[in-house]
Amino acid sequence: MSSLLKIENLHVNVGETEILKGVNLEVRQGEIHALMGPNGSGKSTLAYTLVGHPKYEITQGRVLIDGADLQDLDPSERARLGLFLAFQYPITIPGVKVADFLRHAISNVRNPERKEGEELMPMREFRTELRQTMKELNIDAEFARRYLNEGFSGGEKKRMEILQLAMLKPRFAILDETDSGLDSDAVRVVSEGLQKLSGPHMGVLIITHHERLLEYNVPQFTHVMLAGRIVETGDAALAHDLHANGYAGIRERHPEAAAEEAAAQEKEELTTTSS
Ligand SMILES: Nc1ncnc2c1ncn2[C@@H]1O[C@H](COP(=O)(O)OP(=O)(O)OP(=O)(O)O)[C@@H](O)[C@H]1O
Ligand SMILES: [Mg+2]
């Protein structure tokens, strides 16, 4: 049976401010969903909440994978349930090579009984699998010996992301690709990599402003977020329309949410000018 990631009436605060105001979303294994919306609408907040970032406080609602509540689970426990977030480890860890990192991550995900510091996946087995996967993805073998994220270009960061996806084989992948600094090489790496890896075993939520990504990975569902709520859901045609025409139509169709968006922006401007 296919797995289900279910987000129910999710309300999330950052400090005193409510950012998500009742998000409902269901992603099934094998489905591709696009999450779009203007800057500041709450898309990354949703992604950070899913991974369990401590700054994002759930005040109401819940997130479930096959009925299991994620609320009290730490990021590695969430990973064991099959959840993957592209920006999960954006940091540079001194002295840790790509291969070491992947061996730890894979050992954690595949052996739920494993505790910190316990045995890792056997080296020989891991190496064979890594070599094979890198070959399939056309990633140079040398890449595994690089230090994690140290001096990575945009394209290399994306190669790392895709390699992680291929090795960890999560049931749900959340990709927050709003980074405006992505060059065309990086966009191509994610677009093609994701196209190769997605399939009936993986549910994908792509957060993006990049049309190319959705051309390679056509979403069955497109959701539009405005002022912390999903205000519309459609198919790939909706994503296409938003790329072509922007969010004016969405704001017109949802005047209440648009007013909330304007009020929040005004408040933010006041706090940034006064501080
Ligand atoms: N850690 C944080 N501290 C303070 N404010 C935050 C934090 N995270 C998010 N916010 C606020 O929450 C709102 C939503 O931000 P979020 O980053 O989720 O938007 P987004 O939809 O991802 O936008 P973009 O398309 O620009 O990536 C913004 O007003 C932002 O300032
Ligand atoms: Mg964002």
Side-chain angles (χ1 to χ4, degrees):
M1 213 193 74
S2 69
S3 280
L4 176 69
L5 169 67
K6 190 170 185 179
I7 300 167
E8 261 178 21
N9 186 33
L10 195 67
H11 290 250
V12 171
N13 272 26
V14 176
E16 297 292 295
T17 314
E18 183 169 63
I19 308 286
L20 298 186
K21 302 168 182 171
V23 172
N24 293 290
L25 182 62
E26 286 190 13
V27 178
R28 277 208 170 273
Q29 223 178 344
E31 292 175 349
I32 298 182
H33 293 244
L35 179 61
M36 298 179 68
N39 296 130
S41 54
K43 305 180 297 297
S44 296
T45 299
L46 177 63
Y48 281 117
T49 306
L50 291 178
V51 77
H53 191 295
K55 244 190 167 160
Y56 299 82
E57 185 205 349
I58 297 181
T59 55
Q60 229 192 105
R62 30 182 217 165
V63 182
L64 309 161
I65 289 181
D66 295 335
D69 197 327
L70 300 191
Q71 173 89 50
D72 297 319
L73 304 183
D74 67 31
S76 71
E77 290 167 318
R78 290 170 195 232
R80 283 178 195 159
L81 282 179
L83 191 64
F84 171 88
L85 278 106
F87 52 33
Q88 205 160 356
Y89 305 96
I91 36 152
T92 309
I93 313 172
V96 172
K97 291 184 180 172
V98 166
D100 304 331
F101 170 79
L102 286 171
R103 190 167 166 227
H104 274 88
I106 230 177
S107 303
N108 167 51
V109 166
R110 294 205 190 153
N111 179 7
E113 305 302 315
R114 184 179 170 271
K115 298 200 177 57
E116 206 57 50
E118 279 180 14
E119 233 173 281
L120 296 171
M121 180 180 178
M123 188 53 116
R124 186 188 291 244
E125 205 181 305
F126 169 74
R127 282 236 174 101
T128 308
E129 193 172 327
L130 181 63
R131 205 177 299 130
Q132 180 66 31
T133 307
M134 291 179 76
K135 211 171 145 193
E136 279 163 18
L137 294 170
N138 296 318
I139 299 175
D140 194 90
E142 187 53 39
F143 188 71
R145 291 188 279 273
R146 293 273 305 269
Y147 287 98
L148 188 65
N149 288 334
E150 210 176 276
F152 275 17
S153 70
E156 285 164 345
K157 281 187 187 143
K158 294 295 132 180
R159 255 173 216 107
M160 184 65 211
E161 194 174 297
I162 293 301
L163 182 57
Q164 274 187 69
L165 261 186
M167 292 294 284
L168 296 177
K169 300 182 180 65
R171 283 183 283 171
F172 300 101
I174 320 288
L175 302 160
D176 193 353
E177 303 293 352
T178 47
D179 186 352
S180 54
L182 283 191
D183 58 20
S184 56
D185 175 45
V187 176
R188 186 182 50 80
V189 169
V190 194
S191 304
E192 295 180 2
L194 194 57
Q195 188 184 38
K196 247 183 212 168
L197 297 175
S198 60
H201 53 278
M202 194 159 86
V204 187
L205 181 65
I206 311 176
I207 303 172
T208 188
H209 298 294
H210 289 284
E211 185 155 28
R212 178 131 183 225
L213 229 116
L214 301 179
E215 276 170 9
Y216 277 77
N217 302 279
V218 178
Q220 286 108 349
F221 305 94
T222 300
H223 311 278
V224 186
M225 194 171 259
L226 186 63
R229 285 187 196 92
I230 290 174
V231 292
E232 267 183 43
T233 292
D235 55 17
L238 176 57
H240 200 74
D241 174 65
L242 294 173
H243 281 123
N245 304 313
Y247 291 99
I250 292 280
R251 292 191 177 99
E252 252 167 54
R253 291 196 288 278
H254 306 279
E256 274 175 37
E260 276 180 44
E261 182 194 32
Q265 273 166 359
E266 199 168 307
K267 199 175 145 199
E268 197 160 318
E269 269 159 33
L270 280 177
T271 44
T272 41
T273 44
S274 67
S275 64

Short mmCIF file of all heavy atoms in Angstrom, two decimals, residues 109-134:
data_model
loop_
_atom_site.label_atom_id
_atom_site.label_comp_id
_atom_site.label_asym_id
_atom_site.label_seq_id
_atom_site.Cartn_x
_atom_site.Cartn_y
_atom_site.Cartn_z
N VAL A 109 18.97 5.57 8.43
CA VAL A 109 17.66 5.35 7.83
C VAL A 109 17.33 3.86 7.71
O VAL A 109 16.20 3.44 7.91
CB VAL A 109 17.59 6.06 6.46
CG1 VAL A 109 16.40 5.59 5.66
CG2 VAL A 109 17.54 7.57 6.65
N ARG A 110 18.35 3.06 7.38
CA ARG A 110 18.07 1.64 7.10
C ARG A 110 18.01 0.78 8.35
O ARG A 110 17.48 -0.32 8.32
CB ARG A 110 19.12 1.07 6.16
CG ARG A 110 18.98 1.76 4.83
CD ARG A 110 19.50 0.91 3.72
NE ARG A 110 19.55 1.73 2.52
CZ ARG A 110 20.38 1.52 1.52
NH1 ARG A 110 21.22 0.52 1.58
NH2 ARG A 110 20.36 2.29 0.47
N ASN A 111 18.60 1.25 9.43
CA ASN A 111 18.58 0.45 10.64
C ASN A 111 17.94 1.24 11.78
O ASN A 111 18.61 1.94 12.52
CB ASN A 111 20.00 0.02 11.02
CG ASN A 111 20.02 -0.79 12.30
OD1 ASN A 111 18.96 -1.14 12.84
ND2 ASN A 111 21.21 -1.07 12.79
N PRO A 112 16.62 1.12 11.92
CA PRO A 112 15.89 1.92 12.90
C PRO A 112 16.33 1.66 14.33
O PRO A 112 16.14 2.50 15.20
CB PRO A 112 14.44 1.48 12.71
CG PRO A 112 14.39 0.69 11.45
CD PRO A 112 15.77 0.18 11.19
N GLU A 113 16.96 0.51 14.56
CA GLU A 113 17.38 0.16 15.92
C GLU A 113 18.70 0.83 16.29
O GLU A 113 19.09 0.86 17.44
CB GLU A 113 17.56 -1.35 16.07
CG GLU A 113 16.35 -2.17 15.66
CD GLU A 113 15.12 -1.81 16.47
OE1 GLU A 113 15.26 -1.67 17.70
OE2 GLU A 113 14.04 -1.62 15.88
N ARG A 114 19.39 1.33 15.27
CA ARG A 114 20.74 1.83 15.48
C ARG A 114 20.74 3.07 16.37
O ARG A 114 19.94 3.97 16.23
CB ARG A 114 21.35 2.19 14.13
CG ARG A 114 22.78 2.63 14.23
CD ARG A 114 23.34 2.95 12.85
NE ARG A 114 24.63 3.60 13.02
CZ ARG A 114 24.78 4.90 13.15
NH1 ARG A 114 23.73 5.69 13.07
NH2 ARG A 114 25.96 5.42 13.35
N LYS A 115 21.69 3.10 17.29
CA LYS A 115 21.84 4.29 18.13
C LYS A 115 23.10 5.02 17.72
O LYS A 115 23.99 4.43 17.11
CB LYS A 115 21.91 3.88 19.61
CG LYS A 115 20.64 3.20 20.07
CD LYS A 115 20.49 3.23 21.57
CE LYS A 115 19.18 2.60 21.99
NZ LYS A 115 19.02 1.20 21.51
N GLU A 116 23.15 6.30 18.09
CA GLU A 116 24.33 7.13 17.78
C GLU A 116 25.60 6.40 18.18
O GLU A 116 25.71 5.88 19.29
CB GLU A 116 24.19 8.45 18.55
CG GLU A 116 24.91 9.62 17.91
CD GLU A 116 24.47 9.87 16.47
OE1 GLU A 116 23.25 9.95 16.22
OE2 GLU A 116 25.36 9.96 15.61
N GLY A 117 26.58 6.36 17.27
CA GLY A 117 27.86 5.75 17.59
C GLY A 117 27.91 4.24 17.34
O GLY A 117 28.96 3.64 17.43
N GLU A 118 26.75 3.63 17.03
CA GLU A 118 26.76 2.19 16.77
C GLU A 118 27.21 1.89 15.35
O GLU A 118 27.40 2.78 14.54
CB GLU A 118 25.37 1.60 17.04
CG GLU A 118 25.16 1.35 18.52
CD GLU A 118 23.78 0.77 18.81
OE1 GLU A 118 23.11 0.31 17.88
OE2 GLU A 118 23.40 0.80 19.99
N GLU A 119 27.29 0.63 15.07
CA GLU A 119 27.84 0.17 13.81
C GLU A 119 27.20 0.78 12.57
O GLU A 119 25.99 0.99 12.50
CB GLU A 119 27.64 -1.34 13.74
CG GLU A 119 28.90 -2.09 13.44
CD GLU A 119 28.63 -3.58 13.56
OE1 GLU A 119 28.59 -4.08 14.69
OE2 GLU A 119 28.42 -4.19 12.51
N LEU A 120 28.04 1.04 11.59
CA LEU A 120 27.56 1.59 10.32
C LEU A 120 27.37 0.46 9.31
O LEU A 120 27.85 -0.65 9.52
CB LEU A 120 28.59 2.58 9.77
CG LEU A 120 28.83 3.83 10.61
CD1 LEU A 120 30.02 4.60 10.06
CD2 LEU A 120 27.59 4.71 10.65
N MET A 121 26.74 0.80 8.22
CA MET A 121 26.61 -0.15 7.12
C MET A 121 28.02 -0.59 6.69
O MET A 121 28.92 0.24 6.62
CB MET A 121 25.93 0.59 5.96
CG MET A 121 25.73 -0.23 4.73
SD MET A 121 24.91 0.82 3.50
CE MET A 121 24.83 -0.31 2.14
N PRO A 122 28.23 -1.90 6.44
CA PRO A 122 29.57 -2.38 6.08
C PRO A 122 30.16 -1.59 4.92
O PRO A 122 29.48 -1.32 3.94
CB PRO A 122 29.33 -3.84 5.68
CG PRO A 122 28.05 -4.21 6.35
CD PRO A 122 27.24 -2.96 6.46
N MET A 123 31.44 -1.23 5.06
CA MET A 123 32.10 -0.35 4.10
C MET A 123 32.04 -0.87 2.67
O MET A 123 31.73 -0.14 1.74
CB MET A 123 33.56 -0.16 4.54
CG MET A 123 34.30 0.88 3.74
SD MET A 123 33.42 2.45 3.70
CE MET A 123 34.58 3.47 4.56
N ARG A 124 32.33 -2.15 2.50
CA ARG A 124 32.40 -2.71 1.16
C ARG A 124 31.03 -2.60 0.45
O ARG A 124 30.94 -2.15 -0.70
CB ARG A 124 32.83 -4.16 1.24
CG ARG A 124 33.09 -4.81 -0.10
CD ARG A 124 33.32 -6.27 0.10
NE ARG A 124 34.60 -6.47 0.79
CZ ARG A 124 35.63 -7.10 0.23
NH1 ARG A 124 35.54 -7.61 -0.95
NH2 ARG A 124 36.75 -7.23 0.90
N GLU A 125 30.00 -2.97 1.18
CA GLU A 125 28.63 -2.92 0.66
C GLU A 125 28.25 -1.48 0.28
O GLU A 125 27.70 -1.20 -0.77
CB GLU A 125 27.71 -3.41 1.78
CG GLU A 125 26.39 -3.99 1.37
CD GLU A 125 25.63 -4.40 2.65
OE1 GLU A 125 26.18 -5.18 3.47
OE2 GLU A 125 24.51 -3.90 2.82
N PHE A 126 28.61 -0.57 1.21
CA PHE A 126 28.29 0.84 0.99
C PHE A 126 29.00 1.37 -0.25
O PHE A 126 28.41 2.03 -1.10
CB PHE A 126 28.66 1.66 2.23
CG PHE A 126 28.60 3.13 2.00
CD1 PHE A 126 27.37 3.79 1.90
CD2 PHE A 126 29.76 3.88 1.84
CE1 PHE A 126 27.31 5.14 1.66
CE2 PHE A 126 29.70 5.24 1.60
CZ PHE A 126 28.48 5.87 1.50
N ARG A 127 30.29 1.08 -0.35
CA ARG A 127 31.10 1.58 -1.47
C ARG A 127 30.54 1.13 -2.80
O ARG A 127 30.46 1.90 -3.75
CB ARG A 127 32.54 1.07 -1.34
CG ARG A 127 33.34 1.84 -0.32
CD ARG A 127 34.61 2.40 -0.98
NE ARG A 127 35.33 3.27 -0.06
CZ ARG A 127 36.42 2.89 0.62
NH1 ARG A 127 36.90 1.67 0.46
NH2 ARG A 127 37.01 3.73 1.43
N THR A 128 30.16 -0.15 -2.87
CA THR A 128 29.63 -0.71 -4.11
C THR A 128 28.36 0.04 -4.50
O THR A 128 28.19 0.44 -5.66
CB THR A 128 29.29 -2.21 -3.91
OG1 THR A 128 30.43 -2.84 -3.37
CG2 THR A 128 28.88 -2.86 -5.21
N GLU A 129 27.51 0.25 -3.52
CA GLU A 129 26.24 0.92 -3.80
C GLU A 129 26.45 2.37 -4.21
O GLU A 129 25.82 2.86 -5.14
CB GLU A 129 25.35 0.84 -2.55
CG GLU A 129 23.92 1.22 -2.83
CD GLU A 129 23.02 0.95 -1.63
OE1 GLU A 129 23.28 -0.01 -0.88
OE2 GLU A 129 22.06 1.72 -1.46
N LEU A 130 27.38 3.03 -3.51
CA LEU A 130 27.66 4.43 -3.82
C LEU A 130 28.23 4.58 -5.23
O LEU A 130 27.80 5.43 -6.01
CB LEU A 130 28.64 5.01 -2.78
CG LEU A 130 29.02 6.48 -2.97
CD1 LEU A 130 27.80 7.39 -2.83
CD2 LEU A 130 30.08 6.91 -1.95
N ARG A 131 29.18 3.71 -5.55
CA ARG A 131 29.81 3.78 -6.87
C ARG A 131 28.76 3.59 -7.97
O ARG A 131 28.71 4.34 -8.94
CB ARG A 131 30.89 2.68 -6.96
CG ARG A 131 31.98 3.02 -7.97
CD ARG A 131 33.07 1.98 -7.99
NE ARG A 131 33.75 1.83 -6.72
CZ ARG A 131 33.96 0.66 -6.10
NH1 ARG A 131 33.53 -0.46 -6.62
NH2 ARG A 131 34.60 0.62 -4.95
N GLN A 132 27.92 2.59 -7.78
CA GLN A 132 26.87 2.28 -8.74
C GLN A 132 25.92 3.47 -8.92
O GLN A 132 25.61 3.88 -10.05
CB GLN A 132 26.09 1.05 -8.21
CG GLN A 132 24.96 0.58 -9.10
CD GLN A 132 25.50 0.06 -10.42
OE1 GLN A 132 26.61 -0.47 -10.47
NE2 GLN A 132 24.75 0.25 -11.50
N THR A 133 25.49 4.04 -7.80
CA THR A 133 24.54 5.16 -7.85
C THR A 133 25.15 6.37 -8.53
O THR A 133 24.50 7.03 -9.34
CB THR A 133 24.10 5.54 -6.41
OG1 THR A 133 23.65 4.37 -5.76
CG2 THR A 133 23.00 6.57 -6.43
N MET A 134 26.42 6.65 -8.21
CA MET A 134 27.07 7.82 -8.80
C MET A 134 27.23 7.64 -10.31
O MET A 134 27.10 8.59 -11.08
CB MET A 134 28.41 8.09 -8.13
CG MET A 134 28.21 8.57 -6.70
SD MET A 134 29.74 8.88 -5.80
CE MET A 134 30.25 10.43 -6.50
#
